[in-house]
Amino acid sequence: MKVKLSILYAWLVRTATLLLPNIPLFMRFRGFLYSLMMKRCGRNFQVTSTAILNSLSGLVVGNDVYIAHNCVLIGLDIEIGDKVLVGPNCIISSANHTFQDDAYRFGKSEPRAAKIGSGSWIAGNCSVVGGGVLPPMSVLGAGSVLNKPFTETRGLYAGAPAGFIKKLQ
């Protein structure tokens, strides 16, 4: 019941604040409203008006996090560290579909955590799916798909599926 209530509440927040301009004051206000139903939320959580956050009850966000335009966060186990920047048009999901009765349509959801380390940047048009872990102070290159855990701190990861490219200074 709590999950369904958090989805309804997220829709209500998005609808009620959709026309507020995307300036820090209103983005922080929007983040504050979302935080009321979240598992845990730090200070200065900024969310743009066109971002979609579902299942707030499983979302953990650190301090100074920014979610850009047209991002979708969906799932019951998403953890975002401090000082994270999520670029436009990104999807973060903490579950994968399974195959059942000759289709994925009715397969049970397979929940797996999605984690973004502190100080990281997810560039535009990326997907982070269940099981994906971006280490602290790392960059996920534009258009990448993160579907497995990585451990190299301060790394550049890119591709579909994402792979380690190089160590950042």
XYZ file of all heavy atoms in Angstrom, residues 55-141:
623
model
N 7.674 5.555 -7.097
C 8.072 4.673 -5.992
C 9.023 5.376 -5.040
O 10.122 4.905 -4.765
C 8.707 3.384 -6.534
O 7.843 2.758 -7.432
N 8.627 6.516 -4.550
C 9.459 7.309 -3.650
C 9.854 6.546 -2.398
O 10.905 6.814 -1.815
C 8.714 8.587 -3.252
C 8.404 9.570 -4.371
C 7.513 10.687 -3.857
C 9.673 10.117 -4.970
N 9.057 5.587 -1.990
C 9.309 4.876 -0.738
C 10.610 4.079 -0.752
O 11.111 3.702 0.298
C 8.133 3.955 -0.408
O 7.938 3.006 -1.434
N 11.178 3.822 -1.910
C 12.431 3.085 -1.992
C 13.603 3.924 -2.461
O 14.668 3.404 -2.769
N 13.422 5.229 -2.508
C 14.453 6.125 -3.036
C 15.259 6.759 -1.903
O 14.700 7.322 -0.977
C 13.784 7.217 -3.881
C 14.662 8.234 -4.580
C 15.655 7.570 -5.518
C 13.803 9.223 -5.348
N 16.597 6.645 -2.006
C 17.521 7.260 -1.047
C 18.390 8.238 -1.824
O 19.027 7.865 -2.814
C 18.414 6.201 -0.360
C 19.466 6.863 0.510
C 17.568 5.242 0.450
N 18.401 9.505 -1.373
C 19.156 10.553 -2.059
C 19.993 11.307 -1.033
O 19.504 11.644 0.047
C 18.194 11.536 -2.782
C 18.945 12.706 -3.380
C 17.415 10.809 -3.855
N 21.245 11.582 -1.379
C 22.139 12.324 -0.496
C 21.968 13.828 -0.630
O 20.994 14.312 -1.203
N 22.943 14.568 -0.134
C 22.939 16.029 -0.190
C 23.341 16.535 -1.573
O 24.158 15.906 -2.258
C 23.921 16.603 0.835
C 23.538 16.277 2.243
O 22.364 16.274 2.597
N 24.515 15.980 3.082
N 22.812 17.681 -1.962
C 23.222 18.398 -3.171
C 23.094 17.564 -4.447
O 24.002 17.516 -5.270
C 24.662 18.912 -3.015
C 24.825 19.792 -1.798
O 24.001 20.699 -1.624
O 25.769 19.559 -1.024
N 21.951 16.938 -4.628
C 21.681 16.117 -5.816
C 20.784 16.904 -6.761
O 19.834 17.562 -6.341
C 21.019 14.776 -5.428
C 20.549 14.013 -6.653
C 21.982 13.942 -4.601
N 21.091 16.818 -8.070
C 20.316 17.507 -9.109
C 19.825 16.474 -10.116
O 20.613 15.699 -10.661
C 21.193 18.545 -9.815
C 20.517 19.207 -10.998
C 19.611 20.237 -10.817
C 20.793 18.792 -12.295
C 18.985 20.843 -11.899
C 20.181 19.387 -13.384
C 19.279 20.412 -13.178
O 18.660 21.009 -14.252
N 18.508 16.484 -10.378
C 17.886 15.608 -11.376
C 17.383 16.500 -12.506
O 16.504 17.342 -12.303
C 16.710 14.805 -10.773
C 17.116 14.060 -9.502
C 16.121 13.861 -11.816
C 18.103 12.952 -9.691
N 17.928 16.318 -13.713
C 17.628 17.193 -14.857
C 16.315 16.822 -15.551
O 15.616 15.886 -15.171
C 18.793 17.150 -15.845
N 16.042 17.547 -16.624
C 14.810 17.418 -17.404
C 14.603 16.012 -17.951
O 15.532 15.359 -18.404
C 14.825 18.392 -18.590
C 14.920 19.815 -18.160
N 13.832 20.514 -17.691
C 15.967 20.670 -18.084
C 14.205 21.734 -17.365
N 15.500 21.851 -17.591
N 13.351 15.591 -17.926
C 12.895 14.341 -18.551
C 13.536 13.077 -17.998
O 13.551 12.050 -18.671
C 13.080 14.400 -20.073
C 12.346 15.560 -20.687
O 11.221 15.866 -20.302
N 12.984 16.244 -21.613
N 14.071 13.124 -16.799
C 14.614 11.918 -16.174
C 13.470 11.115 -15.571
O 12.456 11.673 -15.146
C 15.606 12.274 -15.065
S 17.149 12.919 -15.696
N 13.657 9.790 -15.525
C 12.677 8.908 -14.912
C 13.404 8.041 -13.896
O 14.368 7.360 -14.234
C 11.986 8.012 -15.966
C 11.025 7.043 -15.304
C 11.272 8.852 -17.012
N 12.952 8.091 -12.638
C 13.484 7.234 -11.582
C 12.342 6.336 -11.144
O 11.304 6.819 -10.675
C 13.981 8.051 -10.389
C 15.378 8.662 -10.517
C 15.440 9.734 -11.572
C 15.826 9.206 -9.182
N 12.539 5.024 -11.316
C 11.458 4.096 -11.008
C 12.042 2.842 -10.369
O 13.035 2.305 -10.835
C 10.646 3.751 -12.276
C 9.437 2.909 -11.941
C 11.506 3.108 -13.337
C 8.444 2.783 -13.068
N 11.450 2.422 -9.277
C 11.892 1.210 -8.608
C 11.940 1.387 -7.112
O 11.839 2.493 -6.589
N 12.108 0.290 -6.419
C 12.035 0.291 -4.966
C 13.393 0.276 -4.283
O 13.453 0.195 -3.069
C 11.223 -0.920 -4.498
C 9.764 -0.896 -4.921
C 9.074 -2.194 -4.529
C 9.043 0.289 -4.318
N 14.485 0.335 -5.038
C 15.809 0.282 -4.413
C 16.820 1.090 -5.224
O 17.690 0.527 -5.875
C 16.259 -1.170 -4.272
C 17.420 -1.331 -3.303
O 17.870 -0.323 -2.723
O 17.882 -2.477 -3.128
N 16.677 2.420 -5.178
C 17.598 3.319 -5.867
C 18.311 4.144 -4.809
O 17.671 4.736 -3.950
C 16.864 4.241 -6.859
C 16.194 3.418 -7.950
C 17.827 5.272 -7.453
C 15.303 4.221 -8.880
N 19.637 4.171 -4.893
C 20.432 4.932 -3.942
C 21.355 5.884 -4.701
O 22.140 5.453 -5.540
C 21.262 3.994 -3.070
C 22.016 4.703 -1.972
C 22.725 3.723 -1.057
O 22.186 2.629 -0.816
O 23.834 4.061 -0.608
N 21.231 7.175 -4.406
C 22.041 8.203 -5.052
C 22.820 8.931 -3.970
O 22.226 9.462 -3.021
C 21.144 9.194 -5.841
C 20.345 8.444 -6.908
C 21.992 10.295 -6.461
C 19.329 9.280 -7.643
N 24.146 8.962 -4.095
C 25.006 9.585 -3.090
C 24.976 11.103 -3.137
O 24.198 11.713 -3.873
N 25.859 11.728 -2.351
C 25.956 13.188 -2.285
C 26.555 13.768 -3.565
O 27.360 13.122 -4.225
C 26.866 13.610 -1.122
C 26.327 13.202 0.235
O 25.097 13.027 0.364
O 27.129 13.060 1.167
N 26.177 15.008 -3.863
C 26.757 15.796 -4.959
C 26.729 15.078 -6.307
O 27.702 15.074 -7.055
C 28.191 16.197 -4.614
C 28.292 17.006 -3.343
C 29.738 17.317 -3.006
C 29.837 18.003 -1.666
N 31.213 18.197 -1.260
N 25.598 14.481 -6.620
C 25.433 13.758 -7.881
C 24.646 14.626 -8.860
O 23.678 15.275 -8.490
C 24.718 12.406 -7.665
C 24.313 11.766 -8.979
C 25.605 11.470 -6.865
N 25.081 14.612 -10.103
C 24.425 15.319 -11.190
C 23.888 14.277 -12.168
O 24.652 13.478 -12.702
C 25.426 16.227 -11.900
C 24.981 16.928 -13.172
C 23.829 17.873 -12.889
C 26.147 17.668 -13.786
N 22.575 14.289 -12.381
C 21.948 13.380 -13.345
C 21.489 14.230 -14.515
O 20.611 15.086 -14.372
C 20.762 12.608 -12.722
C 20.136 11.675 -13.754
C 21.215 11.818 -11.500
N 22.086 14.016 -15.685
C 21.802 14.802 -16.878
C 20.425 14.518 -17.452
O 19.706 13.621 -17.004
N 20.046 15.271 -18.481
C 18.703 15.147 -19.057
C 18.456 13.798 -19.726
O 19.367 13.156 -20.230
C 18.640 16.284 -20.078
C 20.039 16.687 -20.325
C 20.841 16.314 -19.127
N 17.197 13.401 -19.717
C 16.703 12.214 -20.423
C 17.285 10.900 -19.913
O 17.423 9.948 -20.676
C 16.951 12.334 -21.937
C 16.395 13.606 -22.501
O 15.239 13.936 -22.262
N 17.215 14.350 -23.214
N 17.623 10.820 -18.645
C 18.179 9.589 -18.070
C 17.081 8.756 -17.417
O 16.068 9.279 -16.970
C 19.247 9.919 -17.031
S 20.734 10.624 -17.754
N 17.334 7.452 -17.373
C 16.423 6.525 -16.720
C 17.222 5.753 -15.680
O 18.285 5.213 -15.985
C 15.802 5.541 -17.727
C 14.965 6.290 -18.752
C 14.976 4.481 -17.005
C 14.500 5.443 -19.904
N 16.709 5.723 -14.454
C 17.307 4.904 -13.408
C 16.209 3.982 -12.906
O 15.183 4.436 -12.403
C 17.878 5.757 -12.259
C 18.919 6.738 -12.788
C 18.482 4.851 -11.181
C 19.464 7.698 -11.743
N 16.429 2.680 -13.054
C 15.426 1.687 -12.689
C 16.074 0.599 -11.852
O 17.162 0.141 -12.160
C 14.831 1.070 -13.957
O 13.977 -0.003 -13.635
N 15.373 0.172 -10.810
C 15.965 -0.842 -9.936
C 15.313 -2.206 -10.103
O 15.259 -2.997 -9.167
C 15.871 -0.397 -8.473
O 14.532 -0.361 -8.056
N 14.836 -2.505 -11.275
C 14.262 -3.823 -11.527
C 14.420 -4.171 -13.002
O 14.554 -3.291 -13.849
C 12.791 -3.850 -11.134
N 14.415 -5.445 -13.283
C 14.466 -5.942 -14.654
C 13.274 -6.869 -14.870
O 12.807 -7.526 -13.937
C 15.765 -6.710 -14.905
C 16.969 -5.806 -14.906
O 16.901 -4.685 -15.397
N 18.066 -6.265 -14.347
N 12.807 -6.943 -16.096
C 11.702 -7.833 -16.419
C 12.230 -9.235 -16.657
O 13.377 -9.426 -17.055
C 10.969 -7.350 -17.679
C 10.260 -6.052 -17.482
N 9.056 -5.965 -16.842
C 10.594 -4.790 -17.826
C 8.670 -4.709 -16.799
N 9.592 -3.966 -17.394
N 11.379 -10.228 -16.434
C 11.732 -11.616 -16.718
C 10.818 -12.140 -17.820
O 9.741 -11.595 -18.064
C 11.592 -12.499 -15.458
O 10.239 -12.419 -14.984
C 12.552 -12.057 -14.375
N 11.248 -13.200 -18.446
C 10.514 -13.802 -19.552
C 9.558 -14.859 -18.990
O 9.970 -15.729 -18.228
C 11.508 -14.440 -20.525
C 10.921 -14.813 -21.839
C 10.647 -13.844 -22.786
C 10.649 -16.133 -22.148
C 10.113 -14.178 -24.014
C 10.113 -16.482 -23.375
C 9.844 -15.506 -24.307
N 8.275 -14.764 -19.364
C 7.291 -15.732 -18.885
C 6.201 -15.889 -19.929
O 5.726 -14.903 -20.490
C 6.689 -15.239 -17.561
C 5.657 -16.160 -16.976
C 5.098 -15.604 -15.667
O 5.786 -14.929 -14.926
N 3.840 -15.895 -15.403
N 5.791 -17.091 -20.189
C 4.716 -17.381 -21.147
C 4.984 -16.739 -22.504
O 4.141 -16.067 -23.080
C 3.357 -16.919 -20.607
C 2.956 -17.655 -19.337
O 3.365 -18.829 -19.189
O 2.261 -17.057 -18.502
N 6.190 -16.923 -23.023
C 6.593 -16.453 -24.346
C 6.603 -14.938 -24.505
O 6.484 -14.425 -25.618
C 5.708 -17.061 -25.441
C 5.814 -18.578 -25.480
O 6.912 -19.092 -25.174
O 4.810 -19.240 -25.790
N 6.716 -14.187 -23.391
C 6.749 -12.731 -23.491
C 7.322 -12.121 -22.214
O 7.330 -12.743 -21.154
C 5.341 -12.183 -23.722
N 7.785 -10.898 -22.347
C 8.235 -10.135 -21.186
C 7.095 -9.358 -20.546
O 7.203 -8.897 -19.416
C 9.342 -9.149 -21.588
C 10.644 -9.829 -21.875
C 11.013 -10.148 -23.178
C 11.503 -10.174 -20.847
C 12.205 -10.782 -23.438
C 12.704 -10.811 -21.095
C 13.055 -11.119 -22.398
O 14.226 -11.753 -22.652
N 5.993 -9.209 -21.250
C 4.879 -8.376 -20.793
C 4.359 -8.773 -19.428
O 4.061 -7.941 -18.595
C 3.758 -8.424 -21.844
C 2.451 -7.782 -21.443
C 2.591 -6.275 -21.270
N 1.328 -5.656 -20.963
C 0.889 -5.418 -19.745
N 1.610 -5.760 -18.700
N -0.266 -4.838 -19.546
N 4.239 -10.065 -19.160
C 3.647 -10.515 -17.901
C 4.648 -11.203 -16.981
O 4.275 -11.786 -15.973
C 2.446 -11.433 -18.171
C 1.347 -10.733 -18.911
C 1.098 -11.002 -20.242
C 0.579 -9.769 -18.278
C 0.088 -10.348 -20.935
C -0.422 -9.098 -18.949
C -0.674 -9.378 -20.276
N 5.916 -11.115 -17.329
C 6.945 -11.700 -16.463
C 7.077 -10.929 -15.164
O 6.885 -9.709 -15.126
N 7.404 -11.632 -14.112
C 7.569 -10.973 -12.811
C 8.778 -10.051 -12.845
O 9.754 -10.297 -13.530
C 7.735 -12.008 -11.720
C 6.501 -12.851 -11.490
C 6.675 -13.732 -10.274
C 5.580 -14.735 -10.170
N 4.378 -14.311 -9.617
N 8.684 -8.988 -12.071
C 9.790 -8.040 -11.963
C 10.870 -8.643 -11.075
O 10.574 -9.268 -10.055
C 9.266 -6.741 -11.351
O 10.284 -5.800 -11.275
N 12.114 -8.456 -11.483
C 13.255 -8.957 -10.709
C 13.966 -7.753 -10.088
O 14.737 -7.068 -10.753
C 14.209 -9.702 -11.640
C 15.430 -10.244 -10.960
C 16.353 -10.904 -11.963
O 17.180 -10.194 -12.575
O 16.232 -12.129 -12.142
N 13.685 -7.475 -8.802
C 14.283 -6.285 -8.181
C 15.784 -6.446 -7.924
O 16.224 -7.491 -7.458
C 13.519 -6.143 -6.865
C 12.940 -7.482 -6.587
C 12.809 -8.196 -7.895
N 16.542 -5.419 -8.286
C 17.983 -5.355 -8.034
C 18.328 -3.889 -7.832
O 17.895 -3.036 -8.588
C 18.768 -5.932 -9.210
C 18.525 -7.434 -9.382
C 19.245 -8.011 -10.570
N 20.682 -7.875 -10.390
C 21.556 -7.894 -11.385
N 21.127 -8.024 -12.624
N 22.829 -7.777 -11.164
N 19.126 -3.604 -6.838
C 19.460 -2.224 -6.499
C 20.211 -1.531 -7.628
O 20.977 -2.146 -8.364
C 20.304 -2.196 -5.231
N 19.987 -0.229 -7.749
C 20.752 0.646 -8.642
C 21.394 1.697 -7.749
O 20.695 2.361 -6.980
C 19.832 1.288 -9.670
N 22.718 1.850 -7.840
C 23.429 2.760 -6.940
C 24.345 3.696 -7.717
O 25.075 3.270 -8.595
C 24.247 1.972 -5.918
C 23.395 1.112 -5.027
C 24.202 0.403 -3.975
C 23.259 -0.459 -3.150
N 23.911 -1.052 -2.007
N 24.287 4.966 -7.318
C 25.132 5.997 -7.908
C 25.996 6.558 -6.782
O 25.469 7.091 -5.803
C 24.297 7.139 -8.537
C 23.189 6.585 -9.438
C 25.197 8.129 -9.259
C 23.646 5.719 -10.563
N 27.324 6.459 -6.922
C 28.234 6.914 -5.888
C 28.320 8.427 -5.794
O 28.050 9.154 -6.754
N 28.714 8.906 -4.622
C 28.835 10.342 -4.362
C 29.792 11.016 -5.335
O 30.812 10.434 -5.725
C 29.332 10.570 -2.933
O 28.369 10.136 -2.011
N 29.458 12.242 -5.716
C 30.319 13.031 -6.592
C 30.315 12.607 -8.042
O 31.129 13.072 -8.829
N 29.381 11.756 -8.434
C 29.345 11.243 -9.807
C 28.474 12.099 -10.715
O 27.645 12.875 -10.269
C 28.832 9.801 -9.823
O 29.734 8.958 -9.171
N 28.685 11.908 -12.013
C 27.911 12.603 -13.040
C 27.400 11.566 -14.024
O 28.185 10.820 -14.605
C 28.784 13.631 -13.744
C 28.192 14.284 -14.958
C 26.880 14.468 -15.253
C 28.919 14.840 -16.056
N 26.743 15.116 -16.461
C 27.996 15.358 -16.982
C 30.279 14.959 -16.345
C 28.357 15.967 -18.158
C 30.642 15.566 -17.527
C 29.690 16.070 -18.420
N 26.098 11.536 -14.215
C 25.491 10.706 -15.254
C 25.139 11.652 -16.386
O 24.260 12.504 -16.241
C 24.240 9.976 -14.728
C 24.608 9.073 -13.547
C 23.594 9.167 -15.838
C 23.415 8.414 -12.897
N 25.833 11.545 -17.493
C 25.603 12.439 -18.629
C 24.243 12.139 -19.262
O 23.574 11.165 -18.916
C 26.727 12.284 -19.643
N 23.830 12.949 -20.198
C 22.510 12.840 -20.820
C 22.251 11.538 -21.531
O 23.154 10.879 -22.035
N 20.988 11.151 -21.558
C 20.487 10.000 -22.308
C 21.063 8.666 -21.847
O 21.249 7.756 -22.650
C 20.735 10.188 -23.808
C 20.079 11.428 -24.331
O 18.876 11.609 -24.162
N 20.862 12.317 -24.917
N 21.336 8.528 -20.567
C 21.873 7.279 -20.015
C 20.771 6.470 -19.356
O 19.742 7.007 -18.953
C 22.951 7.572 -18.968
S 24.477 8.204 -19.661
N 21.023 5.170 -19.235
C 20.145 4.282 -18.487
C 20.970 3.561 -17.438
O 22.053 3.054 -17.733
C 19.502 3.239 -19.399
O 18.653 3.851 -20.329
N 20.467 3.529 -16.222
C 21.054 2.735 -15.147
C 19.976 1.748 -14.743
O 18.896 2.146 -14.310
C 21.470 3.606 -13.945
C 22.036 2.742 -12.828
C 22.473 4.673 -14.361
N 20.249 0.463 -14.920
C 19.238 -0.559 -14.642
C 19.618 -1.341 -13.400
O 20.726 -1.203 -12.867
C 19.042 -1.497 -15.858
C 18.520 -0.715 -17.054
C 20.320 -2.219 -16.221
N 18.706 -2.178 -12.944
C 18.918 -2.970 -11.750
C 20.245 -3.711 -11.780
O 20.570 -4.354 -12.767
N 21.013 -3.583 -10.714
C 22.325 -4.203 -10.635
C 23.447 -3.274 -11.019
O 24.619 -3.567 -10.783
N 23.129 -2.136 -11.604
C 24.145 -1.172 -12.016
C 24.658 -0.373 -10.827
O 23.869 0.123 -10.032
N 25.987 -0.266 -10.714
C 26.612 0.518 -9.653
C 27.679 1.408 -10.283
O 28.629 0.908 -10.884
C 27.254 -0.380 -8.572
C 27.981 0.462 -7.541
C 26.201 -1.258 -7.914
N 27.515 2.727 -10.134
C 28.504 3.692 -10.592
C 29.302 4.130 -9.366
O 28.742 4.671 -8.424
C 27.827 4.903 -11.246
C 28.753 5.930 -11.894
C 29.515 5.310 -13.066
C 27.963 7.141 -12.365
N 30.614 3.878 -9.353
C 31.424 4.202 -8.176
C 31.503 5.707 -7.906
O 31.215 6.517 -8.787
C 32.809 3.664 -8.538
C 32.602 2.743 -9.670
C 31.386 3.230 -10.398
N 31.920 6.080 -6.695
C 32.041 7.498 -6.354
C 32.976 8.251 -7.305
O 33.950 7.690 -7.802
C 32.625 7.479 -4.937
C 32.230 6.160 -4.384
C 32.236 5.218 -5.559
N 32.649 9.535 -7.532
C 33.452 10.466 -8.327
C 33.716 9.960 -9.741
O 34.767 10.182 -10.311
C 34.774 10.766 -7.611
C 34.574 11.407 -6.264
S 36.086 11.562 -5.317
C 36.307 9.892 -4.726
N 32.741 9.278 -10.320
C 32.875 8.713 -11.664
C 31.931 9.398 -12.631
O 31.008 10.103 -12.229
C 32.587 7.209 -11.632
O 33.556 6.537 -10.878
N 32.164 9.165 -13.912
C 31.329 9.724 -14.971
C 30.788 8.572 -15.816
O 31.539 7.679 -16.203
C 32.143 10.691 -15.868
C 31.308 11.174 -17.047
C 32.668 11.867 -15.064
N 29.479 8.622 -16.092
C 28.866 7.700 -17.034
C 28.621 8.491 -18.308
O 27.839 9.442 -18.321
C 27.556 7.137 -16.471
C 26.851 6.092 -17.323
C 27.730 4.858 -17.525
C 25.526 5.689 -16.673
N 29.343 8.147 -19.370
C 29.303 8.890 -20.629
C 27.925 8.913 -21.268
O 27.114 8.005 -21.083
